[in-house]
Amino acid sequence: MSRLYDSIEPAVIEEGMLLQAVEEQGPKYEAGEIVKKEGIDFDYVLHLRLDFKNILKIDNLWCFIKLTKLQLDNNVIEKIEGLDQLINLVWLDLSFNNIEEIEGLDNLTKLTDLSLYNNRISTIANMDTLMDLEVLSLGNNDINDLRMILYLRKFKKLKMINLAGNPFCEMEDYKTTVVVYLNWVEYVDYALVKEEFRENALRKMQTSLDALVESEMKIQQKEEEQRLMREEYKKDMEAYVESFKDDLLYISLYADDVEGRKLNDMPGIADEMIYFKSKILAVSNQIFNFGTVEHIRIKDEVDTFWQCVEDAKAENKELSTKAFNEFIEYKDKTFENLTFVTEMSEYESKMAEFRKKLEELHDKQLTYEMQLVDQLEDVIKEFEHNLRDLVSAFTEGFQGLLANCRDLESQHHEKVMEVALINVETAHKNEVEDVSEDLRNLFMDKDTLVNAVTTSHEAHLLKIDHEEDKMSQRIKLWIKNLLKRIHDEEEVQRNRDRIIEITNMIDHLREAIDNLEGTVG
C-alpha cells in the first residue's frame, strides 16, 4: 500500500541533507548567495520540505525550533519519532510512508493539519494532545474497525477528515456512521457533507447517537469527579493531612493489626469500639482542619515573599532601564555630533568623555544590582525567619494533636485489656458463646490474650508515631528545597545572569566605540 523504494538505499536525515533542502527552498539569486556566505541558521526556518528523499528514520530536526510546516511524504519512514522539539508545527505531512502506529506527536499541540495518508496504520489512537486539529487524513490505511471513529469525537475543531481507502469503508453504513458520530465535520473523504444527507443519517441513527452521548456524559462526569478527587488529595498532601481525612486514621490503625481485628469482636467491647472510633475521628478532624488552616497561612507567607521579590526586581529594572536609555540617547547624539568634528583634539576629548560616561554607566548598573542583592537578602532573611516560625507552630500543633491520639489509644488499651480479662474468666467457666475460633483460642490462655492486646496497642502507637515522623520529614524537606531554590537557583543564578548581562551590554558599547575610532583612524 505504501510507497517503497526497492532500488535505492534508505537514508537518515543528516545535516548535509538539511542544508541542501534549506538552500533549495530558501532565497534565490543574489539573496540566496548572501545567505550561503553568511551561513544558514536553522532556528529561523519556518517551512521544510523533505519529500521523496527515501528517508527511513526521522532525526536531527531538533534545531528547527520555529518550524511551522514539515513535509516528509513519499519516504520509507516506519516510525513517527524525532519531532518532540518541533512544538510550533501546525502542518505535518507523513503520507506515503510505512508507518504502522500513530505515536510521537504528544508535543505537537499546535498542529491543525495532519496527513498520515497511505501508510499501514490499523488503530486510531495516541493523539489526545492534538486538540486543535482541523484537518486529518487517515485514508488508505489498514483500519478495519468502524468503532475506531469514536476516538475522533474528542476533536471538536475538526472540519475535514479523510478515511477513504480503509477496509471499514466497505461497510454499508460507513458514511452514515461517520457523519452522525462526527456531526460537526464539514468534509468527509474530500466531499462536502450535504445537509439533507446529514439529516437523514441522523434520523436513522438518532437512538444510537443518544445512547452514545449519554454514555460519554457519564464517563466525563466520572472523570471530572476523579479529577476533583485528585486535586483535593493534592491539596491535602500539601497540607500534610491526607492521612487524617474522614476515618482514614482509624482505618489505618487496624490495617496491619491482625490481633486488634480479632479483639474487636470480643463480647462486651462493642460500646468501647464505638466510643474509641468517635474520639479518634474527632481528633482526626481537628488535625485535618488545623493542617488546612496552617497550610493556608504558610502559603500566604510564601506568596507574599515572591511578590516582594518581583516588586523589588521590577523597581530595580525600572531604574536600570532608565539609566541605560538616557545613555543611549547621549550615545546617539554624541556619535551624530562627531560626524561634524574636524579637529582631532576635539574628537579625542569627546571620545574620552564618552568613555568616562560609559564607565559611569557600568558602575551605576553594578550599583543598582548590588542594591537589589542587599534588598533581596533582607527580604529573604525576614521571610526565612517568618517561615520557620510558622512551620514550628504548625509542627508543634500537629504533634500536640497526635499526642491526644496517643492518650486516646492508651485509654482504649486499658479498656480492651479489662474486657479481655473478663472474657478469659468467662471462657474458663465455659460461658463464652458465639465467638470465632480465633477468639476462643485466645481466651483459653491468659498470657496469649494479654500479648495480643499489647501487640495491638503497640501497633497503634507505632502507626501514630509513623504519621508524626512522616509529617516532620516531609515539611523539613519542603523547607530545605524551597530555601535552596531561593538562595541558589533563584537569587545566585539571577545575580550571575544580571552581571553577565551588564558586562555584555557594556562590552557591546565599547565595541561600538572601537569600531567608530577604527573608521576615523
Side-chain angles (χ1 to χ4, degrees):
M1 182 181 290
S2 302
R3 184 181 181 90
L4 299 175
Y5 293 78
D6 297 327
S7 59
I8 307 176
E9 187 72 21
V12 295
I13 301 176
E14 296 179 342
E15 186 175 1
M17 179 189 295
L18 294 173
L19 284 169
Q20 181 180 358
V22 173
E23 287 177 359
E24 290 175 351
Q25 298 158 43
K28 305 299 181 184
Y29 309 114
E30 185 177 351
E33 291 302 317
I34 293 174
V35 169
K36 288 180 183 179
K37 289 179 182 179
E38 294 183 353
I40 298 173
D41 190 347
F42 291 164
D43 288 358
Y44 294 96
V45 176
L46 299 180
H47 299 167
L48 183 62
R49 192 176 69 248
L50 295 170
D51 53 332
F52 295 97
K53 301 289 186 183
N54 203 34
I55 295 169
L56 176 64
K57 180 181 174 64
I58 305 172
D59 201 1
N60 293 316
L61 294 177
W62 56 268
C63 49
F64 290 88
I65 55 176
K66 294 188 178 180
L67 200 65
T68 60
K69 183 175 181 179
L70 177 60
Q71 196 168 334
L72 283 165
D73 60 284
N74 290 278
N75 286 294
V76 288
I77 297 168
E78 297 178 350
K79 182 180 177 66
I80 305 175
E81 58 186 342
L83 302 176
D84 291 346
Q85 305 301 319
L86 309 186
I87 58 174
N88 291 303
L89 272 188
V90 297
W91 192 94
L92 175 62
D93 188 354
L94 285 163
S95 57
F96 292 96
N97 279 288
N98 298 328
I99 298 167
E100 295 183 358
E101 182 180 357
I102 302 175
E103 58 185 335
L105 301 173
D106 292 350
N107 290 354
L108 310 187
T109 56
K110 296 181 181 180
L111 214 57
T112 61
D113 193 315
L114 173 63
S115 178
L116 291 162
Y117 183 82
N118 208 88
N119 278 281
R120 297 173 177 175
I121 296 167
S122 59
T123 302
I124 305 177
N126 301 325
M127 297 189 295
D128 291 11
T129 60
L130 310 185
M131 288 295 104
D132 285 340
L133 271 184
E134 298 178 3
V135 178
L136 176 63
S137 179
L138 288 168
N140 269 29
N141 276 283
D142 297 328
I143 307 168
N144 56 25
D145 187 349
L146 190 54
R147 290 173 298 180
M148 286 285 174
I149 66 168
L150 296 180
Y151 177 80
L152 299 174
R153 282 181 58 79
K154 65 182 69 178
F155 302 100
K156 300 301 183 183
K157 293 184 179 181
L158 268 182
K159 297 177 181 177
M160 193 283 284
I161 184 168
N162 173 36
L163 298 167
N166 283 287
F168 63 24
C169 296
E170 302 298 322
M171 298 180 181
E172 183 179 350
D173 56 351
Y174 156 70
K175 189 71 173 287
T176 300
T177 303
V178 172
V179 169
V180 170
Y181 287 163
L182 305 178
N183 50 44
W184 58 90
V185 175
E186 300 173 10
Y187 293 84
V188 175
D189 300 341
Y190 303 111
L192 178 66
V193 179
K194 296 180 179 180
E195 283 306 310
E196 183 180 358
F197 182 87
R198 193 188 300 274
E199 291 171 2
N200 290 335
L202 187 58
R203 279 194 293 270
K204 181 179 179 182
M205 299 186 64
Q206 186 67 59
T207 303
S208 176
L209 179 62
D210 291 344
L212 176 61
V213 171
E214 183 179 357
S215 175
E216 287 176 341
M217 289 179 63
K218 289 180 179 178
I219 292 172
Q220 290 173 2
Q221 183 178 358
K222 187 174 181 179
E223 288 176 348
E224 178 62 14
E225 290 172 355
Q226 291 175 343
R227 184 188 68 79
L228 292 174
M229 287 176 61
R230 287 193 299 270
E231 288 185 359
E232 197 69 26
Y233 183 74
K234 182 181 178 183
K235 284 172 53 180
D236 296 343
M237 280 194 68
E238 290 173 350
Y240 310 102
V241 295
E242 75 278 5
S243 299
F244 300 93
K245 190 165 190 176
D246 301 328
D247 59 351
L248 290 178
L249 177 62
Y250 178 80
I251 292 172
S252 71
L253 293 178
Y254 291 95
D256 300 316
D257 181 15
V258 178
E259 300 299 341
R261 293 198 297 271
K262 295 177 186 176
L263 296 168
N264 289 350
D265 292 329
M266 287 190 302
I269 199 66
D271 289 343
E272 169 59 22
M273 293 307 303
I274 293 173
Y275 176 80
F276 178 59
K277 182 175 182 179
S278 68
K279 290 297 183 180
I280 291 294
L281 286 178
V283 176
S284 291
N285 189 52
Q286 280 184 286
I287 294 173
F288 187 88
N289 291 335
F290 171 78
T292 301
V293 171
E294 290 301 304
H295 172 66
I296 292 173
R297 291 180 61 197
I298 293 172
K299 184 177 182 301
D300 287 345
E301 183 67 28
V302 174
D303 291 344
T304 300
F305 163 74
W306 286 120
Q307 188 59 54
C308 287
V309 170
E310 291 305 314
D311 290 344
K313 287 160 65 174
E315 183 180 351
N316 186 271
K317 183 178 180 180
E318 185 177 348
L319 289 172
S320 175
T321 302
K322 181 182 178 183
F324 180 73
N325 289 339
E326 288 175 351
F327 181 83
I328 293 300
E329 288 181 12
Y330 164 75
K331 174 184 104 43
D332 292 343
K333 185 177 180 180
T334 299
F335 279 23
E336 181 181 353
N337 291 338
L338 284 174
T339 59
F340 301 103
V341 173
T342 58
E343 295 293 331
M344 181 57 68
S345 58
E346 183 182 357
Y347 177 85
E348 290 176 348
S349 174
K350 287 186 177 296
M351 291 303 295
E353 178 187 336
F354 184 88
R355 288 185 180 278
K356 180 182 178 182
K357 287 190 177 295
L358 179 58
E359 293 307 316
E360 290 174 355
L361 174 66
H362 181 232
D363 293 342
K364 186 179 291 187
Q365 295 290 351
L366 289 179
T367 299
Y368 287 150
E369 173 56 22
M370 291 309 300
Q371 288 174 349
L372 179 59
V373 168
D374 292 340
Q375 184 180 359
L376 291 181
E377 186 176 340
D378 291 339
V379 171
I380 291 171
K381 282 182 179 178
E382 182 180 359
F383 166 70
E384 190 170 342
H385 175 75
N386 293 342
L387 182 65
R388 292 194 184 280
D389 284 348
L390 286 171
V391 169
S392 177
F394 169 77
T395 303
E396 289 173 7
F398 195 96
Q399 291 171 337
L401 290 169
L402 283 178
N404 293 342
C405 281
R406 291 190 186 89
D407 292 341
L408 289 172
E409 168 53 34
S410 296
Q411 295 167 17
H412 176 65
H413 167 63
E414 292 175 4
K415 188 63 178 178
V416 173
M417 185 67 78
E418 179 185 330
V419 174
L421 293 176
I422 292 173
N423 275 286
V424 168
E425 294 177 7
T426 304
H428 287 165
K429 297 176 184 179
N430 294 320
E431 296 177 359
V432 175
E433 299 178 358
D434 299 328
V435 297
S436 66
E437 190 65 26
D438 286 337
L439 268 180
R440 191 177 296 279
N441 291 335
L442 283 177
F443 292 160
M444 291 300 101
D445 184 80
K446 180 179 178 180
D447 290 340
T448 302
L449 182 60
V450 169
N451 287 338
V453 174
T454 302
T455 299
S456 174
H457 173 57
E458 291 175 347
H460 293 180
L461 291 178
L462 189 64
K463 178 62 181 176
I464 294 170
D465 290 345
H466 171 73
E467 290 299 334
E468 182 176 322
D469 292 341
K470 184 173 69 172
M471 179 280 299
S472 179
Q473 291 172 9
R474 284 168 58 189
I475 200 164
K476 284 179 181 178
L477 181 62
W478 174 75
I479 291 179
K480 178 182 177 182
N481 290 337
L482 176 61
L483 295 180
K484 183 178 186 300
R485 174 190 166 194
I486 291 171
H487 286 289
D488 299 340
E489 299 174 14
E490 292 287 338
E491 179 51 21
V492 173
Q493 188 60 48
R494 185 207 62 78
N495 178 247
R496 287 174 181 169
D497 291 344
R498 180 56 182 154
I499 295 297
I500 292 172
E501 183 182 1
I502 292 171
T503 302
N504 290 339
M505 176 181 65
I506 299 300
D507 287 346
H508 176 73
L509 291 170
R510 285 181 180 137
E511 185 178 349
I513 299 172
D514 293 340
N515 290 338
L516 183 64
E517 288 183 328
T519 303
V520 172

